[in-house]
């Protein structure tokens, strides 16, 4: 074998080796490309989930804000109702303590057959006061 044949064999072998390396490099490049594509689709899915979660969180915050407003309105209405009931209760107590109401209560109770001690207990008056009211009514 001559020197030129050896160089030709060496160059051919090196070309085959380079071609093999090129094929290996191309296969690895395709694997990397497939991996990159799957990562991009995973990232897109993640972004879509994050967007959905952000919308859901916004809806929850809006719902919470609405519930807070409704609770404040209910509290205001409840306070107004409590004030109204307090006023009615004070009026009822004032009426129930009025002499005319007590007199009517005693006279009605007596007509129904209640005794003087029962009437005194029901009106929170003494027995003497109940007897006095009954005597004035006769």
């Amino acid at each position: 074998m001559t020197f030129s044949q050896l160089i030709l064999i060496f160059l051919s072998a090196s070309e085959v080796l380079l071609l093999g390396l090129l094929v290996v490099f191309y296969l690895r490049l395709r694997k990397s490309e497939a991996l990159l594509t799957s990562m991009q689709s995973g990232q897109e899915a993640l972004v879509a989930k994050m967007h959905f979660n952000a919308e859901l969180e916004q809806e929850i915050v809006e719902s919470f804000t609405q519930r807070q407003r409704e609770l404040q309105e209910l509290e205001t209405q409840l306070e107004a109702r409590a004030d109204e009931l307090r006023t009615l209760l004070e009026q009822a107590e004032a009426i129930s303590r009025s002499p005319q109401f007590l007199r009517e209560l005693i006279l009605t109770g007596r007509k129904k057959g209640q005794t003087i001690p029962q009437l005194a207990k029901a009106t929170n008056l003494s027995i003497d006061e109940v007897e006095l009211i009954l005597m004035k009514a006769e």
Side-chain angles (χ1 to χ4, degrees):
M1 274 211 203
T2 64
F3 180 68
S4 59
Q5 286 177 336
L6 284 175
I7 289 179
L8 186 60
I9 292 173
F10 175 73
L11 288 175
S12 295
S14 64
E15 285 178 359
V16 169
L17 181 64
L18 283 175
L19 184 61
L21 288 174
L22 187 62
V23 168
V24 169
F25 177 74
Y26 178 73
L27 291 174
R28 292 188 82 191
L29 181 64
R30 291 211 31 177
K31 257 190 207 179
S32 296
E33 187 179 66
L35 180 63
L36 184 62
T37 303
S38 70
M39 286 176 64
Q40 283 178 338
S41 66
Q43 183 181 14
E44 289 171 1
L46 179 64
V47 167
K49 286 180 183 178
M50 289 175 65
H51 187 281
F52 176 75
N53 286 343
E55 288 177 356
L56 188 60
E57 181 181 352
Q58 183 63 32
E59 288 176 13
I60 289 172
V61 167
E62 289 172 0
S63 174
F64 179 76
T65 304
Q66 180 183 358
R67 297 290 182 263
Q68 286 296 100
R69 275 190 306 245
E70 289 173 358
L71 284 173
Q72 287 173 347
E73 290 173 13
L74 285 174
E75 182 180 2
T76 303
Q77 291 174 358
L78 187 60
E79 287 175 1
R81 188 71 153 163
D83 289 342
E84 183 180 325
L85 288 174
R86 268 190 226 99
T87 303
L88 287 174
L89 185 61
E90 289 170 2
Q91 289 174 354
E93 286 176 357
I95 289 172
S96 70
R97 289 283 132 223
S98 74
Q100 182 63 30
F101 179 76
L102 289 174
R103 182 177 179 278
E104 291 298 319
L105 190 62
I106 291 170
L107 293 176
T108 305
R110 190 63 170 169
K111 286 178 186 176
K112 289 181 180 178
Q114 289 182 331
T115 64
I116 292 177
Q118 289 174 332
L119 292 171
K121 185 176 180 183
T123 58
N124 287 329
L125 296 174
S126 69
I127 293 175
D128 294 335
E129 290 172 320
V130 171
E131 289 174 346
L132 182 63
I133 291 171
L134 288 173
M135 280 193 296
K136 285 187 178 181
E138 292 177 358

